[in-house]
Amino acid sequence: MAEIIDGKLVTQVTRKKTAEMTARFKELTGVTPGLAVILVGDDPASAVYVRNKHKGCLDIGMNSFQIEYPKETTEEELLSKIKELNEDENVHGILVQLPLPKHINEDNVINAISPLKDVDAFHPENVGKILIGKYDFLPCTPAGVMELLAFYNIDIEGKECVVLGRSNIVGKPMSLLLLQKNGTVTVCHSRTKNLADITRRADILVVAIGKADFVTADMVKEGAVVIDVGINRKPDGKLTGDVDFNSVKEKASFITPVPGGVGPMTITMLLANTLTAAQKQVKIY
Ligand code: GUN
């Protein structure tokens, strides 16, 4: 029976640390770190995430600027707002909630955010820095996974790490972070053949494919560490991950639950990135 990785506990500990560092930063500089979050349209899940980001900022003593636009907003209007925020010295981090309405080109939006304020680490400049291991920010979800592994003293060096999913937001950066910690990394995806043969090799299995309860016990090695990045809503309204928690927990050594595993860490890492951005932008550092 696996030990359950408690994302809420790690979130509490990490946010307390970030709150203390934020208070110290404010004392030293007289500047309050500020995060601007832009939401375009009325996707209900996005609205919840944005509200939680706002609350997260206020709870740890940061400023939060919430900008909400109707779904008809043009790309030009959005780009012009980003330009204004890039130049606003009260704003240290900028996040545009994805997905955007279809008529807005996501790449143009990401490219418009100043790399110094790109607390999502989605800008190609920041992605490139991660590739070469010399980064200022890490994307929040993979960074949250690394925090969880560190908190539970789970060693990565020399381990067989298998990442299921190759998205720009999770799978690709996740594989780079594990590689940087000297893991032996395999990335699997929807075209991978003999998937279970590969996942069964994993000492550390990170799953981010967006399919409810996809990973079953027969796909997992005895004693593996299983990290579930998925959030799926079942027909009964309950949340479930990409891993069949009940069967896999009997075989794994550590496992993250959904909810309460990786999810809470994402905003925690966003707040940490916002503090880092402020530290880089304010002269004393
Ligand atoms: N939508 C879902 N996850 C994310 C994220 O990490 N950042 C942004 N900007 N949008 C998202």
Side-chain angles (χ1 to χ4, degrees):
M1 172 80 177
E3 180 169 350
I4 310 296
I5 294 180
D6 185 348
K8 286 190 204 154
L9 170 70
V10 184
T11 283
Q12 240 176 36
V13 172
T14 312
R15 285 198 199 190
K16 186 161 178 285
K17 227 183 298 172
T18 307
E20 285 163 6
M21 287 166 69
T22 299
R24 180 93 186 108
F25 175 79
K26 285 158 76 171
E27 262 171 39
L28 279 172
T29 63
V31 174
T32 302
L35 173 69
V37 177
I38 305 181
L39 174 64
V40 185
D42 44 21
D43 178 67
S46 290
V48 172
Y49 291 136
V50 167
R51 229 182 5 252
N52 288 337
K53 287 167 186 171
H54 178 66
K55 188 173 176 303
C57 281
L58 301 184
D59 283 348
I60 68 159
M62 291 183 179
N63 285 331
S64 165
F65 308 96
Q66 248 188 306
I67 299 145
E68 294 188 17
Y69 284 127
K71 59 178 181 302
E72 303 77 25
T73 304
T74 64
E75 188 174 311
E76 288 68 33
E77 284 171 296
L78 184 55
L79 294 178
S80 141
K81 186 66 187 179
I82 291 170
K83 186 164 182 289
E84 185 189 313
L85 295 170
N86 281 341
E87 288 160 8
D88 184 341
E89 62 177 30
N90 294 312
V91 172
H92 304 96
I94 303 171
L95 179 146
V96 179
Q97 186 67 30
L98 303 178
L100 287 165
K102 295 272 179 292
H103 64 277
I104 298 177
N105 181 313
E106 232 163 67
D107 290 337
N108 291 347
V109 171
I110 289 169
N111 291 344
I113 297 171
S114 161
L116 285 171
K117 298 192 176 186
D118 171 36
V119 284
D120 261 328
F122 290 171
H123 189 286
E125 186 175 315
N126 287 324
V127 175
K129 284 182 166 179
I130 294 163
L131 186 71
I132 60 171
K134 295 188 176 136
Y135 45 77
D136 302 314
F137 310 113
L138 291 175
C140 302
T141 300
V145 172
M146 297 306 280
E147 283 289 312
L148 291 176
L149 295 173
F151 189 91
Y152 284 85
N153 290 317
I154 295 165
D155 198 21
I156 298 164
E157 181 152 319
K159 297 284 169 60
E160 285 268 6
C161 303
V162 175
V163 178
L164 217 51
R166 55 171 158 180
S167 69
N168 289 338
I169 295 184
V170 183
K172 281 185 207 166
M174 189 74 246
S175 66
L176 290 173
L177 300 189
L178 291 166
L179 181 61
Q180 203 171 27
K181 292 286 181 192
N182 301 318
T184 301
V185 182
T186 306
V187 182
C188 301
H189 46 80
S190 53
R191 312 282 170 86
T192 298
K193 294 201 170 68
N194 305 322
L195 183 66
D197 288 343
I198 300 169
T199 57
R200 269 196 296 271
R201 288 206 316 248
D203 300 310
I204 299 173
L205 178 62
V206 181
V207 188
I209 47 163
K211 290 184 184 161
D213 303 332
F214 180 82
V215 171
T216 45
D218 59 304
M219 297 168 72
V220 175
K221 180 165 84 175
E222 190 77 42
V225 174
V226 180
I227 306 288
D228 189 351
V229 182
I231 304 179
N232 310 286
R233 204 168 281 281
K234 290 196 285 198
D236 65 4
K238 288 205 178 117
L239 291 181
T240 188
D242 292 349
V243 174
D244 178 29
F245 182 82
N246 285 328
S247 70
V248 174
K249 78 176 192 305
E250 301 301 328
K251 222 166 164 188
S253 58
F254 289 89
I255 189 168
T256 59
V258 177
V262 175
M265 290 302 291
T266 297
I267 295 179
T268 301
M269 303 320 291
L270 173 68
L271 301 173
N273 280 353
T274 303
L275 177 61
T276 302
Q279 288 169 338
K280 296 210 169 278
Q281 285 161 58
V282 175
K283 299 286 176 289
I284 187 170
Y285 284 88

